[in-house]
Amino acid sequence: MATTIMPSLKKWHGGDKLHGKELQLAITVGGAKSKYTHEGEFGVTGPELLKPLETTAKHVGMTFVKPFAIHGMLSITDEQLDEEVQRYVRLLSE
């Protein structure tokens, strides 16, 4: 994830092309959401993992918007995936 987003933001470092724009990540996570808590298997939250991207966005003057995330990709059913796709389509059309 960081290797695809960070170079794009780095390219504009020092300029104002991204100032005032929003950065909203769309991510998929293999594990269940419950694993990404302080009490969970990984002992860290999703927002904590994304903090470097949030910091970079703020550094270039962007607003970091709550990410769109799909958890449990390792065990998701086709029906659940279709629901998540529809949720993403609704988000994009807002």
Side-chain angles (χ1 to χ4, degrees):
M1 176 172 51
T3 57
T4 58
I5 299 293
M6 296 301 280
S8 297
L9 293 178
K10 187 176 180 182
K11 177 181 176 184
W12 298 106
H13 177 72
D16 64 354
K17 301 283 186 196
L18 297 176
H19 187 80
K21 305 243 190 259
E22 292 183 341
L23 175 62
Q24 182 172 39
L25 304 173
I27 60 173
T28 58
V29 183
K33 192 172 186 176
S34 61
K35 292 184 177 193
Y36 293 90
T37 65
H38 291 138
E39 299 77 27
E41 181 178 342
F42 302 114
V44 66
T45 67
E48 290 170 341
L49 289 171
L50 298 176
K51 197 64 168 174
L53 295 174
E54 179 181 0
T55 302
T56 301
K58 287 181 179 181
H59 179 71
V60 298
M62 298 180 79
T63 301
F64 189 79
V65 180
K66 181 181 176 184
F68 174 85
I70 303 174
H71 289 82
M73 287 299 292
L74 294 176
S75 60
I76 197 168
T77 66
D78 287 344
E79 182 178 284
Q80 291 169 322
L81 183 57
D82 287 342
E83 290 172 12
E84 293 296 342
V85 168
Q86 291 306 312
R87 186 169 68 96
Y88 189 52
V89 168
R90 285 191 304 274
L91 175 69
L92 292 176
S93 64
E94 290 178 354

